[in-house]
Amino acid sequence: MVIQEKISLSALTTFQLGGSARYFVIVKSIPELKEAVTFSKKESLPFFVLGEGSNTLVPDEGFAGLVIKNEIRGIKMKEKKGEDGKFLIEVGAGENWDSFVALTIFQKLYGLENLSYIPGSVGGAPVQNIGAYGAEVKEVITEVEVFDTKMMKTRLLPAKECKFAYRDSIFKREAGRHLIITKVIFELGKKGRVNIGYKDLRAHFKDRYSSAVLPGEVRDAVVAIRKKKLPDWKVTATAGSFFKNPFVSKAHFEKLKKTYPEMPGFAEEGKIKIPLAFILDKVCNLSKFRNGNVALYESQPLAVVNLGGATFLEVKQFASLIAIKIKEKTGIEAEWEVRVME
Ligand code: EPU
């Protein structure tokens, strides 16, 4: 394990911008992770754990601490005794998310098909509680193994203690700052029923019954839909959805509906979740908005793209401009979905 100095971070994130890490290290095991954390403590420096950098934005001044790139790998699968066809799968945080999803599909397991083709690492999945096409990863996580930097050892966190919510978990909050995800434990089953209720999937499968659709078919459909709608991060610098979809009160939604009768809204957690893409496109007329090197992606305005050479400051200014327009038209405060390395 080598601790390097002044490593540029832009190529390590899909948004491809920002400065350097004062210190940078790749860890491939728990002893290496322990060594890295010990170093940051000894130097009194903060640390930031990076996976595949698909949801992280690096400030132009970089990170004045230690960036730990988590490459802890390994996948172990065991059948649950006495429970027909249920499996517990322990996956190292440094595994690639979609390769792992593909593996579960190959094993004919139900549970992750809707979350196909999401960029990033397995360790990033619980941080964001990644979600797509009517599914959220919290539904299949039983435990998360963390390295507790206060206790300096690993421990298991039951899903309940992870405080999962829409694009949120304890790992994004101050209360979880001392926890580094080392493994994620999933429960998946060989028996099940796919969830094809989400608009785009419904349209894809037309009038087929969900009981007759296999996880592999859902994966293929999700991959095709994502390829059509979202920018390919290997070609276009982006972190996918830039803002979260907002939740508003019923009264607020009804008021908006009067002006915009077409506005979609979904009842969740006692509130109404509105697709911000609709607001950007139909309410603010921003679907092709561009400012310098930053733009909203044409077929999915929720995704902000770096057209090449954008700085963090430019992205921040761009996002502020958009947030102001959203606020003016709807009274909604748009919240960033992407994470800033700080
Ligand atoms: N819409 C428009 N104009 C557009 C695009 C969309 O009006 O140009 C409206 C439509 O009404 C559409 C609705 O927005 O039905 C929702 O669009 P979509 O199904 O593409 O989903 P989203 O709400 O924009 C969320 C996630 C995505 C995830 C998709 C699919 C968030 C922040 N984003 O986007 O996640 O893939 O649902 O389930 O919740 C990501 O997190 O990076 C990400 C891509």
Side-chain angles (χ1 to χ4, degrees), residues 305-325:
V305 297
N306 166 9
L307 297 167
T311 62
F312 176 81
L313 188 65
E314 276 180 82
V315 172
K316 204 172 151 184
Q317 284 166 345
F318 182 86
S320 303
L321 219 67
I322 287 171
I324 291 167
K325 296 202 175 167

Side-chain angles (χ1 to χ4, degrees), residues 254-304:
E254 263 141 39
K255 207 172 140 204
L256 289 169
K257 267 289 225 199
K258 281 197 186 123
T259 325
Y260 309 103
E262 310 275 283
M263 185 178 282
F266 307 93
E268 260 179 57
E269 300 167 12
K271 293 202 152 194
I272 309 289
K273 184 166 143 187
I274 307 176
L276 195 68
F278 178 92
I279 294 175
L280 293 168
D281 179 12
K282 313 275 181 357
V283 176
C284 303
N285 291 313
L286 284 172
S287 74
K288 286 185 186 136
F289 186 57
R290 173 184 174 169
N291 194 10
N293 298 316
V294 194
L296 296 181
Y297 189 65
E298 237 183 283
S299 49
Q300 175 45 289
L302 198 50
V304 172

Side-chain angles (χ1 to χ4, degrees), residues 40-318:
S40 81
K41 282 191 174 181
K42 217 172 73 202
E43 301 287 321
S44 304
L45 290 171
F47 62 81
F48 186 95
V49 181
L50 193 64
E52 294 185 21
S54 60
N55 204 51
T56 303
L57 243 68
V58 182
D60 296 323
E61 62 276 18
F63 186 69
L66 173 68
V67 172
I68 302 172
K69 182 152 166 42
N70 191 340
E71 290 191 1
I72 299 173
R73 298 225 158 90
I75 303 181
K76 260 194 242 161
M77 192 168 146
K78 58 175 187 236
E79 194 162 0
K80 272 182 105 179
K81 282 199 189 101
E83 288 192 52
D84 194 20
K86 284 200 177 153
F87 288 81
L88 283 177
I89 315 173
E90 294 183 11
V91 191
E95 289 287 343
N96 172 264
W97 173 258
D98 195 50
S99 305
F100 165 57
V101 174
L103 180 82
T104 67
I105 301 292
F106 185 71
Q107 298 283 347
K108 299 201 162 37
L109 289 161
Y110 284 78
L112 292 177
E113 56 279 5
N114 297 45
L115 303 177
S116 290
Y117 214 58
I118 296 178
S121 65
V122 167
V127 176
Q128 275 287 87
N129 179 25
I130 54 171
Y133 304 99
E136 278 186 335
V137 76
K138 71 169 184 188
E139 293 153 23
V140 287
I141 290 178
T142 59
E143 286 172 314
V144 175
E145 187 195 80
V146 294
F147 181 78
D148 185 321
T149 63
K150 282 184 188 158
M151 293 159 70
M152 289 303 276
K153 60 176 189 188
T154 55
R155 63 185 174 96
L156 282 171
L157 215 60
K160 233 176 137 187
E161 285 177 36
C162 297
K163 308 263 186 287
F164 291 126
Y166 167 64
R167 289 299 195 278
D168 198 21
S169 74
I170 192 167
F171 309 110
K172 274 180 112 173
R173 298 169 180 206
E174 202 45 48
R177 225 183 156 92
H178 63 294
L179 305 174
I180 299 176
I181 297 168
T182 48
K183 239 184 227 172
V184 185
I185 297 101
F186 300 87
E187 187 183 299
L188 304 177
K190 293 250 179 189
K191 292 184 180 161
R193 185 185 277 239
V194 297
N195 165 9
I196 50 172
Y198 196 88
K199 199 170 131 199
D200 295 359
L201 286 177
R202 199 61 272 165
H204 183 95
F205 288 105
K206 301 201 172 72
D207 44 14
R208 277 180 71 191
Y209 287 116
S210 60
S211 55
V213 175
L214 294 169
E217 293 177 89
V218 177
R219 173 176 172 80
D220 292 346
V222 167
V223 171
I225 296 165
R226 291 188 72 101
K227 279 189 174 166
K228 209 162 80 190
K229 286 203 165 171
L230 291 159
D232 175 359
W233 63 270
K234 287 177 193 147
V235 181
T236 310
T238 184
S241 297
F242 191 91
F243 295 102
K244 287 184 188 177
N245 281 328
F247 284 76
V248 298
S249 67
K250 272 191 190 139
H252 191 164
F253 183 63
E254 263 141 39
K255 207 172 140 204
L256 289 169
K257 267 289 225 199
K258 281 197 186 123
T259 325
Y260 309 103
E262 310 275 283
M263 185 178 282
F266 307 93
E268 260 179 57
E269 300 167 12
K271 293 202 152 194
I272 309 289
K273 184 166 143 187
I274 307 176
L276 195 68
F278 178 92
I279 294 175
L280 293 168
D281 179 12
K282 313 275 181 357
V283 176
C284 303
N285 291 313
L286 284 172
S287 74
K288 286 185 186 136
F289 186 57
R290 173 184 174 169
N291 194 10
N293 298 316
V294 194
L296 296 181
Y297 189 65
E298 237 183 283
S299 49
Q300 175 45 289
L302 198 50
V304 172
V305 297
N306 166 9
L307 297 167
T311 62
F312 176 81
L313 188 65
E314 276 180 82
V315 172
K316 204 172 151 184
Q317 284 166 345
F318 182 86

